[in-house]
Amino acid sequence: MGSNASEKPVIGLTTYTEKASWGVWHTGAALLPRSYVDATSNAGGIPVLLPTGDTQALSAVDALVLTGGADVEPARYGQEPGDKTVTRPERDDAEFALARAALDRGLPVLGVCRGMQVLNVALGGSLIQHLPDRVGHTGHQPSPGVYGPTHVTLAEGSRIAGILGADAKCQCYHHQAVDRLGDGLRAVGHAADGTIEAVELPGAGFVVGVQWHPEEDTQETRLFAALVEAACR
């Protein structure tokens, strides 16, 4: 599409395909927490929900956000699923196609939580299937529906440090994490326990993944604003 300087860029947001209830209905829906929509709008972008894996949808957007959600199917990185791994293969099919197409087209990409993991696996990386088994605590996902406050140190000279500074106070909700990095990705953010919390693809384009949920902090818009700025170029 390509917005000009007088237009707000259109930001595509991937959606969940889940059973949902509203009014008298209880049926399948393509949905997304409103916080993603608000974060995109507050940063100056026009949010558009992407309900399918049709890569032609990318022709209508200026940037892509790979949103959070269920675990990536471990077969995609050569493993059997653990007993705590919960997958959505149909969503994987859609989002891996979108991620690869966006990278091929040079679109700005922001991966959030699961979205960072999709980006990593799409580039040949692997995941830790249950992080507490590796780090010995549940601080990254304290209990169902509760975010874990996490301090992340960001690498000097990285794109994300240029946006957020040397460190960030983040809201995490993940029981998986990056293990082997995907081809070309650089780990640029770490929690105190060594967990990789941010990655980026070095180069001229904007390809950033964060393991936390920046959309949940209504006072912190810099990461989404940086994506919107990249989409305007």
Side-chain angles (χ1 to χ4, degrees), residues 61-79:
V61 305
D62 300 298
L64 175 68
V65 179
L66 297 165
T67 63
D71 302 327
V72 171
E73 170 57 55
R76 291 182 179 269
Y77 49 93
Q79 296 182 17

Side-chain angles (χ1 to χ4, degrees), residues 11 21 48 69 118 138 141 143 148 158 193 206 208 217 220:
I11 311 298
S21 297
V48 171
V118 168
T138 60
Q141 190 184 75
S143 59
S158 64
D193 60 14
F206 185 104
V208 172
D217 187 349
E220 175 54 82

Side-chain angles (χ1 to χ4, degrees), residues 46-70:
I46 299 173
V48 171
L49 304 191
L50 303 178
T52 72
D54 184 353
T55 57
Q56 291 185 6
L58 293 179
S59 64
V61 305
D62 300 298
L64 175 68
V65 179
L66 297 165
T67 63

Side-chain angles (χ1 to χ4, degrees), residues 99 131 213:
L131 188 57
H213 283 271

Side-chain angles (χ1 to χ4, degrees), residues 4 82 123 142 159:
N4 62 45
L123 290 170
R159 179 185 292 274

Side-chain angles (χ1 to χ4, degrees), residues 114-231:
R114 165 193 158 88
M116 175 174 125
Q117 296 168 7
V118 168
L119 183 62
N120 186 65
V121 175
L123 290 170
S126 67
L127 304 177
I128 302 166
Q129 287 196 50
H130 192 57
L131 188 57
D133 293 342
R134 179 74 64 91
V135 300
H137 65 83
T138 60
H140 297 279
Q141 190 184 75
S143 59
V146 176
Y147 289 94
T150 303
H151 182 269
V152 177
T153 301
L154 302 171
E156 183 178 358
S158 64
R159 179 185 292 274
I160 194 166
I163 298 166
L164 299 179
D167 53 33
K169 294 179 180 179
C170 307
Q171 297 294 316
C172 284
Y173 192 77
H174 62 97
H175 80 111
Q176 299 197 338
V178 167
D179 192 4
R180 183 183 69 251
L181 280 168
D183 295 341
L185 284 177
R186 180 187 174 204
V188 293
H190 293 83
D193 60 14
T195 300
I196 296 174
E197 292 283 344
V199 298
E200 61 189 37
L201 196 61
F206 185 104
V207 180
V208 172
V210 295
Q211 192 60 77
W212 68 87
H213 283 271
E215 78 284 358
E216 291 300 320
D217 187 349
T218 59
Q219 304 303 311
E220 175 54 82
T221 62
R222 288 178 293 175
L223 196 53
F224 276 86
L227 176 71
V228 168
E229 181 182 355

